[in-house]
Amino acid sequence: MALKITDDCIFCAACESACPNNAIYEGGVEWAMADGTSVKGDFVLKDGSIIDASQRNAPLSTGPYYIVPDKCTECQGFHEEPQCVTACPVDSCVPDEMYRESIEELLNKKDKLHL
Ligand code: SF4
Ligand code: SF4
């Protein structure tokens, strides 16, 4: 499943650079599928909507750092442990029960992000 960031976040930015999918953004900053991935053109999100990979999308948080669920793969295919969890000094990166995915689904997701 994807991870999420709790309100305990102290804005240290350690997780942002640790993510292999560029799935983590500072609160208030717009996100894009193409950031840190090889995705180009139309991209189908998990909710079925289609966006252009390079379009800038509204921030999912205007407070703490946030994780884009469509870009988080739990670090599958890159690392054995979620790197944001390892990097966070206050244990703010936690599983997001809203986005349950199997290992196979996460690996497929990783392959779609890095062609
Ligand atoms: S678990 Fe990995 S892919 Fe997901 S947000 Fe954290 S560092 Fe990024
Ligand atoms: S590492 Fe933790 S405290 Fe630092 S920005 Fe990320 S979620 Fe917030």
Side-chain angles (χ1 to χ4, degrees):
M1 71 190 81
L3 275 76
K4 64 180 179 181
I5 292 175
T6 70
D7 289 341
D8 293 330
C9 172
I10 57 169
F11 308 87
C12 75
C15 57
E16 189 178 17
S17 58
C19 179
N21 298 322
N22 202 154
I24 304 177
Y25 291 81
E26 185 178 358
V29 173
E30 294 179 335
W31 65 275
M33 287 306 304
D35 292 341
T37 73
S38 59
V39 180
K40 293 186 176 69
D42 288 347
F43 188 89
V44 183
L45 299 177
K46 282 180 73 69
D47 67 4
S49 58
I50 300 172
I51 62 170
D52 186 89
S54 60
Q55 82 181 48
R56 310 305 304 177
N57 303 288
L60 304 185
S61 161
T62 52
Y65 276 65
Y66 69 90
I67 293 172
V68 178
D70 277 279
K71 299 184 77 176
C72 175
T73 60
E74 276 185 55
C75 289
Q76 286 294 331
F78 287 105
H79 304 285
E80 294 198 354
E81 301 290 335
Q83 295 300 288
C84 53
V85 175
T86 304
C88 185
V90 292
D91 297 332
S92 269
C93 301
V94 300
D96 187 342
E97 301 292 337
M98 291 262 295
Y99 297 97
R100 288 192 162 277
E101 295 158 296
S102 67
I103 301 289
E104 187 180 5
E105 287 172 323
L106 290 166
L107 287 170
N108 286 339
K109 193 175 178 182
K110 182 253 179 190
D111 287 344
K112 275 173 66 181
L113 294 178
H114 304 278
L115 301 173

